[in-house]
Amino acid sequence: MSLLPEVEIGSVCTLINGYAFKPTDWGKSGLPIVRIQNLNDPDCGFNYFNGQMKEQFLIDSGELLFSWSGTPGTSFGAFFWYRGKAVLNQHIFRVLVDENKVDKGYFRYALNYRIDRIIAQSHGGVGLKHITKGKLEATKVPLPPLEEQRRIAAILDKADAVRRKRKQAIALTEELLRSAFLDIFGDPVTNPKGWDIVELYKLLTFITTGSRGWAKFYASEGRLFLRIQNVKDGKLLLEDVAYVNPPDSAEARRTCVQEGDVLLSMTADLGRTAVIPDGLQPAYINQHLAILRLNQKLISPFYLAAFLSSVGGRLQITRLNREGVKAGLNFDDVKSLHILLPPINMQKKYEDFCKHQTEILSQYKQSSDAAQNLFNSLLQKAFRGEL
């Protein structure tokens, strides 16, 4: 419970809703229209408005905004806008604070600190929720004296800057991995270096998918049970894992992964890949993933995973899915994929580079987790009056 005095949000700020644009209002030039996705993803493209707009809907750099509609955990929240003149759409509030009472930087942290309470008061359809202006205004946030707000905001700003730098380092390393593939092997779509093209079945020693009906083997601990969310861009993601106590059967042995296996998603989000690293504990796959076990004298698993995740690989997978009777891939689809096959020594050099960068990425992620934990700890202390 906060030891700081609390006030209702509506008593210290004015919330101005954005404009309800229609698709016919959109254009290719003019002022960018700020939507929720533009707050969550700075690289997301804009629609534009080229016309007369009331001043209340116009914003500029430095404005405090609050998105009040969307998917909880990804869309709700307070953001600063730093990309120049723009217009707001109807799913975002412009937050005008009484600067004699409130520091904007502190207020953003306070709003996001109470985001769970705000979401709990939200309502709407499944998956898409929103909060009304009245309910947001009635939500209470901790509000110490102005100078104390500024002191808290300055401390949190420093911790937030460290957190953001760690995330940027991760993003740059991941981009380096993607660009290295193109630099070494060229564009997989146009094949400018003229590599041989081989159907995937000629490079496989084994292919299988996971078993259905393993819900009865789920457990709170045990062996890893890998699903689509654990597979992306050639890497195994183990932040959200399930566990099973597998049966002692041929079926379990068939679906148990080995070092160097490439996992490929066969349904839903098609074409996600991961390479099983050295030293992974025994793990099994569900029915939405395939194990591709390779003749590593011919092809590196790291090269294949990167190729399948590239634009060239995904184009083939998308084409096969569209041609199919039902969504998803089957074994014949996968075996028929056309793989560019550079010399194995080049692939191995790329594999060594990937392993080295993956080690660096792991260190960055540990550092990022530590920075996030520090920020969360400071946030909790700040709004309990302990900072």
Side-chain angles (χ1 to χ4, degrees), residues 198-205 294-295 298-299 339 341:
V198 179
E199 287 184 289
L200 182 55
Y201 80 90
K202 296 179 180 179
L203 308 171
L204 296 173
T205 62
L294 308 174
N295 180 346
L298 299 176
I299 189 166
I339 311 300
L341 199 64

Side-chain angles (χ1 to χ4, degrees), residues 269-325:
D269 190 358
L270 296 176
R272 294 171 69 123
T273 63
V275 178
I276 299 299
D278 298 346
L280 184 73
Q281 62 173 287
Y284 301 82
I285 60 168
N286 76 356
Q287 73 269 27
H288 302 295
L289 295 176
I291 294 173
L292 309 181
R293 198 159 291 155
L294 308 174
N295 180 346
Q296 295 192 33
K297 293 180 180 179
L298 299 176
I299 189 166
S300 157
F302 287 85
Y303 170 79
L304 178 64
F307 178 85
L308 293 176
S309 296
S310 72
V311 173
R314 285 189 170 274
L315 280 174
Q316 290 190 61
I317 289 170
T318 301
R319 192 178 303 119
L320 286 168
N321 183 48
R322 287 175 179 167
E323 291 172 356
V325 175

Side-chain angles (χ1 to χ4, degrees), residues 9-246:
I9 289 172
S11 69
V12 292
C13 74
T14 300
L15 302 176
I16 300 176
N17 207 21
Y19 181 74
F21 288 95
K22 301 184 292 293
T24 52
D25 296 323
W26 299 347
K28 296 182 179 180
S29 63
L31 291 176
I33 300 171
V34 182
R35 299 169 293 163
I36 291 173
Q37 50 264 57
N38 300 121
L39 299 180
N40 286 276
D41 180 5
D43 297 323
C44 181
F46 288 99
N47 293 319
Y48 294 89
F49 176 73
N50 188 3
Q52 295 296 317
M53 180 58 62
K54 292 182 179 179
E55 187 175 347
Q56 68 188 79
F57 303 123
L58 300 175
I59 62 169
D60 206 340
S61 293
E63 297 267 10
L64 180 59
L65 309 176
F66 188 92
S67 59
W68 55 265
S69 175
T71 304
T74 58
S75 299
F76 282 96
F79 302 80
F80 277 120
W81 176 255
Y82 289 118
R83 304 182 68 176
K85 295 183 184 299
V87 288
L88 282 186
N89 87 343
Q90 75 269 32
H91 296 289
I92 302 171
F93 289 128
R94 186 180 176 195
V95 183
L96 303 180
V97 302
D98 181 346
E99 296 188 9
N100 293 316
K101 299 178 181 178
V102 178
D103 176 79
K104 279 200 299 186
Y106 170 89
F107 203 53
R108 175 174 69 96
Y109 290 122
L111 288 170
N112 288 333
Y113 171 70
R114 281 290 157 83
I115 197 69
D116 289 340
R117 181 180 296 182
I118 293 169
I119 291 173
Q121 295 177 348
S122 65
H123 60 88
V126 175
L128 183 66
K129 297 178 179 293
H130 68 271
I131 183 168
T132 65
K133 182 179 178 182
K135 286 188 176 181
L136 182 56
E137 289 173 331
T139 302
K140 289 186 176 182
V141 295
L143 196 73
L146 191 56
E147 284 305 311
E148 179 66 3
Q149 293 176 45
R150 290 170 179 157
R151 186 185 72 84
I152 291 172
I155 294 172
L156 293 177
D157 280 345
K158 289 179 181 179
D160 191 35
V162 172
R163 181 179 66 156
R164 290 177 184 275
K165 286 179 181 178
R166 298 293 184 269
K167 290 182 178 180
Q168 288 170 0
I170 291 171
L172 289 172
T173 304
E174 291 175 337
E175 180 56 35
L176 178 62
L177 281 167
R178 286 188 288 270
S179 62
F181 180 88
L182 294 175
D183 290 343
I184 295 170
F185 303 113
D187 183 355
V189 177
T190 59
N191 191 15
K193 300 191 179 186
W195 305 123
D196 291 340
I197 300 175
V198 179
E199 287 184 289
L200 182 55
Y201 80 90
K202 296 179 180 179
L203 308 171
L204 296 173
T205 62
F206 178 73
I207 181 173
T208 194
T209 55
S211 300
R212 297 180 181 274
W214 270 45
K216 58 188 175 184
F217 301 126
Y218 270 71
S220 58
E221 58 183 22
R223 302 302 191 187
L224 290 176
F225 192 55
L226 303 176
R227 300 164 295 166
I228 284 180
Q229 58 262 52
N230 303 124
V231 171
K232 188 176 182 182
D233 295 334
K235 296 182 290 296
L236 203 59
L237 309 177
L238 300 179
E239 291 82 9
D240 176 19
V241 295
Y243 295 94
V244 291
N245 288 322

Side-chain angles (χ1 to χ4, degrees), residues 243-279:
Y243 295 94
V244 291
N245 288 322
D248 182 13
S249 65
E251 183 74 358
R253 289 187 287 274
R254 177 183 67 81
T255 62
C256 185
V257 301
Q258 297 180 12
E259 294 175 1
D261 284 348
V262 174
L263 303 186
L264 175 69
S265 59
M266 301 282 281
T267 63
D269 190 358
L270 296 176
R272 294 171 69 123
T273 63
V275 178
I276 299 299
D278 298 346

